[in-house]
Amino acid sequence: MTAKEEAQEENVIYVGNKPPMSYVLAVVTQFNSGSTEVVIKARGRAISRAVDAAEITRNRFVTDAKIKEIKIGTEAITNEEGRTSNVSSIEISLSK
Amino acid sequence: MTAKEEAQEENVIYVGNKPPMSYVLAVVTQFNSGSTEVVIKARGRAISRAVDAAEITRNRFVTDAKIKEIKIGTEAITNEEGRTSNVSSIEISLSK
């Protein structure tokens, strides 16, 4: 992993089942610590929450942040019984 | 409304609470009727389903469709009591 890739990994916020504001706080903290780009990632039902977190961050807390890129994709997930199912994913890159 | 705007309006699929395959079918039908661009729109929790519909369409049914653009935003919704709340929205443009 190059130094650049490492730096990017640190800027990734994974959105799960907590309230959106938890992730907004994480994103804001990341920007305040000097990052110029933060990537918000989510899968499945958490995708809506990732969009909420990005929008709340941009509208209320880091108003100079712009949406640099949004990517969607499909990931294969294997459950405990060995079955594979597909789940959608999103990556929202915010930069300022 | 210009002719171009009218044509675009027809190509919009609004994603709600039905199973994702309902919307996949709507998108596929739109492409099969000759459209070269289809826009999938959703708000709130339906956002995850919109991403599912776009991904299923692209991976299984219209494999030559590409993601042209993804936009996210915030809309103000007024409920029956007159209160306003914000809801996130997404627009996924697929083209082939």
Side-chain angles (χ1 to χ4, degrees):
Chain A
M1 197 181 268
T2 67
K4 198 186 167 195
E5 277 170 337
E6 262 179 46
Q8 284 180 334
E9 271 305 301
E10 281 173 20
N11 295 346
V12 175
I13 309 291
Y14 290 92
V15 173
N17 293 317
K18 292 183 202 166
M21 285 307 286
S22 312
Y23 305 106
V24 171
L25 183 67
V27 175
V28 172
T29 305
Q30 196 68 55
F31 273 124
N32 287 346
S33 74
S35 297
T36 54
E37 183 170 347
V38 178
V39 181
I40 303 170
K41 291 190 184 186
R43 296 197 294 199
R45 289 194 190 174
I47 288 174
S48 325
R49 206 168 293 121
V51 175
D52 288 342
E55 283 295 298
I56 296 169
T57 301
R58 229 162 49 88
N59 292 332
R60 287 204 242 159
F61 297 98
V62 191
T63 48
D64 55 345
K66 300 219 172 355
I67 295 162
K68 191 184 166 196
E69 191 180 16
I70 304 173
K71 283 189 273 189
I72 61 175
T74 304
E75 294 179 18
I77 287 192
T78 308
N79 69 6
E80 291 163 4
E81 293 153 19
R83 281 200 201 162
T84 307
S85 58
N86 289 329
V87 66
S88 300
S89 62
I90 198 166
E91 283 187 33
I92 304 168
S93 306
L94 295 178
S95 66
K96 71 167 189 176
Chain B
M1 197 182 270
T2 67
K4 196 185 168 195
E5 278 170 336
E6 264 179 43
Q8 285 180 335
E9 271 307 301
E10 282 173 19
N11 295 346
V12 176
I13 309 291
Y14 290 93
V15 173
N17 292 317
K18 291 183 203 165
M21 284 307 286
S22 313
Y23 306 106
V24 171
L25 183 66
V27 175
V28 172
T29 305
Q30 197 67 55
F31 273 123
N32 286 345
S33 74
S35 298
T36 55
E37 183 171 346
V38 178
V39 181
I40 304 170
K41 291 190 184 186
R43 296 197 295 201
R45 288 194 190 175
I47 288 174
S48 323
R49 207 168 291 123
V51 175
D52 287 342
E55 283 294 299
I56 295 169
T57 301
R58 229 161 46 89
N59 291 332
R60 287 204 241 159
F61 297 99
V62 192
T63 47
D64 54 345
K66 299 218 172 355
I67 296 162
K68 191 183 166 195
E69 192 179 16
I70 303 173
K71 283 189 271 190
I72 60 174
T74 303
E75 294 178 18
I77 287 190
T78 308
N79 69 6
E80 291 162 6
E81 293 153 18
R83 281 200 201 162
T84 306
S85 59
N86 288 328
V87 66
S88 300
S89 62
I90 198 166
E91 283 186 34
I92 304 169
S93 306
L94 294 178
S95 67
K96 70 167 188 176

